[in-house]
Amino acid sequence: MRVDPDDDALSWGDDDPSHVAGPSTKAAPREASDEPVRASSAILVAYGVIAGIFLIYSVGWFIAVQRDDFTQPGLFAEIMFQLGEFLAIASPLLWMAAVLVLVARPSHRLAWLGLGALVLVPWPFVMGA
């Protein structure tokens, strides 16, 4: 009896030395370092709210910078002053990005984002200066 090579290619014998079994279906114990920490829906909503706050902060810093008509007496001082204004506008967004990239645990992320929400308030805009 002749075996068709196409049919033979579709069958795999367990006695074949080149057969490699897949991963077992038994649940293996998981180590904390192997599994990424997953955030719950409530934490993701909190991230969204804080991201919105930081976006509003950036807009507040932008408006405060636009209201300021102070000029520096020298060229280097003016360049440094404008760099500081740019960093003030970008700081809430940079803080959010840095925390999301560098901090692994969701609870620690919320703590650092909360600290940033307190520190990065655009006081010139809030006080009307």
Side-chain angles (χ1 to χ4, degrees), residues 47 50 95 99 105-118:
Y47 289 164
I50 293 173
W95 184 278
V99 168
R105 296 191 62 186
S107 60
H108 292 165
R109 280 184 183 166
L110 285 178
W112 281 105
L113 290 172
L115 178 66
L118 295 174

Side-chain angles (χ1 to χ4, degrees), residues 36-91:
V37 179
R38 296 182 187 228
S40 68
S41 297
I43 291 178
L44 292 176
V45 169
Y47 289 164
V49 169
I50 293 173
I53 290 170
F54 283 153
L55 184 62
I56 291 171
Y57 281 6
S58 288
V59 171
W61 277 112
F62 179 77
I63 293 170
V65 164
Q66 294 301 313
R67 287 182 185 170
D68 187 19
D69 58 354
F70 182 73
T71 58
Q72 296 291 328
L75 177 63
F76 180 73
E78 182 66 29
I79 291 171
M80 296 310 294
F81 186 74
Q82 288 183 0
L83 176 64
E85 289 178 333
F86 170 76
L87 290 176
I89 294 168
S91 63

